[in-house]
Amino acid sequence: MKQNKDERKAEHADELKKSLEKRLNRIEGQIRGIKKMVEEDIYCDEILHQIMSAKASLDGVSKELLKAHINSCVVRQIKEGKEEVVEELMVTIKKMIK
């Protein structure tokens, strides 16, 4: 029976999940800070620098998660004969590098 994409679950180590959660919490704080800067009419250039920093932080999380995804989810599915995961991964990577 084919598994729906929405039913699939990741199987990552607790250390990875904690690391991702920690980084995402910091990014959430960055976003709150950016919002406050806008509310306080901080000079646009300063806000733009903070936005670039938040984007770079998100890119770091994406790269860490992509590595874990390939090493666990993708490898597992290929071993299970679900080679369509490679095409799915390629679509994701193309979106990431746009």
Side-chain angles (χ1 to χ4, degrees), residues 14-26:
D14 287 340
E15 303 87 48
L16 173 66
K17 288 176 15 178
K18 286 177 186 174
S19 171
L20 292 174
E21 288 172 8
K22 202 172 180 181
R23 292 174 76 170
L24 289 167
N25 285 337
R26 280 196 300 270

Side-chain angles (χ1 to χ4, degrees), residues 21-56:
E21 288 172 8
K22 202 172 180 181
R23 292 174 76 170
L24 289 167
N25 285 337
R26 280 196 300 270
I27 294 166
E28 185 177 24
Q30 286 179 291
I31 300 303
R32 277 201 267 0
I34 293 167
K35 182 180 177 198
K36 186 175 180 185
M37 291 173 79
V38 170
E39 291 167 352
E40 295 177 356
D41 295 319
I42 301 299
Y43 188 61
C44 300
D45 194 57
E46 292 179 42
I47 297 171
L48 290 167
H49 282 272
Q50 290 303 312
I51 290 170
M52 289 183 281
S53 177
K55 287 174 72 173

